[in-house]
Amino acid sequence: MLTLISQLIIAVTGFLAALLLMYGLKRMSSPATAASGIRVAGVGMLAAVIAAFLYCFNLDPAAQPHIWVNLGLAILAMAIGGSIAWWSGKTVKMTAMPQMVAIYNGMGGGAAAAIAAVELFGGRTNGTTELIVTLFGAMIGSLSLSGSIIAWAKLDGVLKAPLQFGGQQMLNLVVAAVTLVVGAAIVVAVAGGPALLPLPGLIALFFGCALVFGILMTLPIGGADMPVVISIYNAATGLAVGLEGYVLHNPALMIAGMVVGAAGTLLTVLMAQAMNRTIFNVLFKRFGATKGQKHSAIAGEEKPVEAGDAAIFMRYAKSVIIVPGYGLAVSQGQQKLYDFVKLLVAAKVSVKFAIHPVAGRMPGQMDVLLAEAGVPYDMIFQLADINDQFATTDVALIIGANDVVNPAARTDKSSPIFGMPILNADKAKKVYVVKRGQGKGYSGVVNGLFYEPEAFMVYGDASAVLGKMIEAVKGLGKAAA
Ligand code: NAP
């Protein structure tokens, strides 16, 4: 039996967990405070776990005969899961973060679905409302699990292209409808009504349909929509966890789930807005989806220049806007980039960074990269705040970016990125592009900007090129002395 005092301790610990989670989330909204925000939220999670354990310790042993075995198993699972998470968090490469985020989203959804499975197969739900809530949590958790695994496979390159076939949307609709009908059949069967299948069979069918729905929903999505999809599953996982928190009467789980769900929903809406997309279009209409049209041909050729020449031109320019992209993260050249920028600033060049909402492979990746190198926040501008300034800027320096500056997004209806807002780097007076060769961007299309008369290519790994640029500018100083 829970005594009044132990109930109070559990409630206070749960409340503290909720406060810490929300405060941590607030701090994550700025790159300057994000790292401490993650630590605060981590302490919040610890408080939530402690609250859950306190709750278990106070249960009546007569009503919970396996309590000690279960607690032992929970501790073992936490030790194994925690060790794997610690190891993967320590060793993951910055460029593989999106895959990791996708798979951990899926784990959260899977955990919520597992709780629901225990409740449903064990016949432990209390009343129709609790049963319906459990079923919704099970469905959302299951589709988040299977959908996130497909998202992981796409981001990791295991699945190459979006899989599309005729009648796909109809099939998705049918599977979604069947899942809901089977869920309703479970409610009827539990209430003592007629059952088409024995209850465990119905429950297994329900989970199977939800898992298949998650796979089918994610398979056709690709390109610039992937960040939004990951964010949708993040929100869905939070919702599923919150619903299962309600079923378990665990306020800490409910609050943690709802905080994740609400934050994920906001992120989804903001990402979709930044990409000029509705959530409906992300899920049901591909970016630039065109039936059999050929991508527009590109005339001209790329013009290579030496890193040193480009650096010296920028040293004598009045203004430079830098567009970092995925390749900068691959090369880990952020520190050298900032060292180069410091040289330009010392020579009275106005330098700004322009960040596209989906640059790199995860939301905020470029902000984190630049923050890591110590770039001051007042040098960093988001797309809407800087796009008009390219036209009056001497040089746009594109480092390891491609899709986010591809003008085809504005003009070429047959391009898979048509409609995506881009950074107006092509409007600058001169454009330097640092990349290793003629590799395409994430969406797999050629970038016509690289063939423009005022665009020049500096071929090489971003970090190596920046090293040469630094040497060239420093060399100028030595020559003058
Ligand atoms: P991008 O379009 O993927 O282009 C990156 C470019 O970097 C490539 O063309 C590549 O060309 C170059 N590169 C690779 N390694 C390099 C290195 N070591 N040094 C120098 N250059 C290197 O990148 P982006 O412009 O940042 O656009 C992001 C794309 O990813 C968008 O299509 C977006 O939708 C998608 N996406 C974003 C997210 C997100 O949340 N941000 C998530 C999933 C997908 P070379 O091979 O010739 O070097």
Side-chain angles (χ1 to χ4, degrees), residues 98 155 223-228 230 271 275 324-328 330-332 356-366 399-405 417 420 434-443 450 459-463:
L155 291 168
D225 279 333
M226 285 311 288
V228 188
I230 296 172
M271 295 276 291
M275 302 297 293
Y326 173 66
L328 181 68
V330 175
S331 80
Q332 286 293 295
H356 190 282
V358 298
R361 291 290 181 273
M362 62 182 289
Q365 186 173 17
M366 292 301 123
I399 303 199
N402 193 337
D403 290 347
V404 299
V405 290
I417 55 168
M420 176 174 99
V434 179
K435 68 203 289 286
R436 295 165 307 176
Q438 303 204 322
K440 294 176 179 138
Y442 182 82
S443 67
F450 305 160
Y459 291 126
D461 172 77
S463 180

Side-chain angles (χ1 to χ4, degrees), residues 121-314:
F121 283 110
R124 292 156 58 133
T125 52
N126 201 355
T128 308
T129 310
E130 210 171 282
L131 177 61
I132 292 174
V133 172
T134 311
L135 286 167
F136 269 113
M139 184 174 88
I140 298 168
S142 301
L143 70 87
S144 299
L145 171 66
S146 57
S148 297
I149 291 173
I150 300 294
W152 165 82
K154 284 175 178 232
L155 291 168
D156 208 51
V158 177
L159 284 177
K160 296 276 182 243
L163 184 90
Q164 297 189 308
F165 51 84
Q168 195 166 25
Q169 284 174 29
M170 185 48 77
L171 177 67
N172 291 1
L173 213 65
V174 168
V175 175
V178 170
T179 314
L180 290 174
V181 169
V182 176
I186 293 172
V187 177
V188 172
V190 170
L196 296 171
L197 283 174
L199 196 55
L202 271 180
I203 297 171
L205 182 63
F206 177 75
F207 276 104
C209 288
L211 288 168
V212 170
F213 181 53
I215 295 173
L216 289 176
M217 200 167 83
T218 323
L219 277 177
I221 302 172
D225 279 333
M226 285 311 288
V228 188
V229 169
I230 296 172
S231 175
I232 288 174
Y233 285 135
N234 180 11
T237 290
L239 183 61
V241 168
L243 292 173
E244 297 313 329
Y246 170 83
V247 175
L248 292 182
H249 309 283
N250 183 329
L253 202 58
M254 251 188 280
I255 294 168
M258 287 308 147
V259 168
V260 174
T265 306
L266 278 177
L267 180 64
T268 305
V269 171
L270 289 173
M271 295 276 291
Q273 274 172 0
M275 302 297 293
N276 265 350
R277 302 276 281 164
T278 62
I279 309 287
F280 179 86
N281 282 359
V282 170
L283 293 177
F284 302 108
K285 268 172 89 178
R286 269 188 75 193
F287 240 123
T290 47
K291 292 203 169 68
Q293 282 178 35
K294 285 220 172 81
H295 299 171
S296 304
I298 291 167
E301 54 186 41
E302 295 186 357
K303 298 169 287 306
V305 292
E306 291 300 322
D309 295 343
I312 290 167
F313 188 89
M314 284 184 265

Side-chain angles (χ1 to χ4, degrees), residues 373-418:
V375 175
Y377 304 115
D378 59 4
M379 283 180 111
I380 303 173
F381 295 83
Q382 303 302 316
L383 183 142
D385 303 322
I386 199 160
N387 238 3
D388 291 342
Q389 298 179 32
F390 279 100
T392 51
T393 296
D394 291 342
V395 180
L397 172 62
I398 299 169
I399 303 199
N402 193 337
D403 290 347
V404 299
V405 290
N406 189 340
R410 283 193 219 113
T411 51
D412 183 359
K413 286 199 174 155
S414 63
S415 170
I417 55 168
F418 179 70

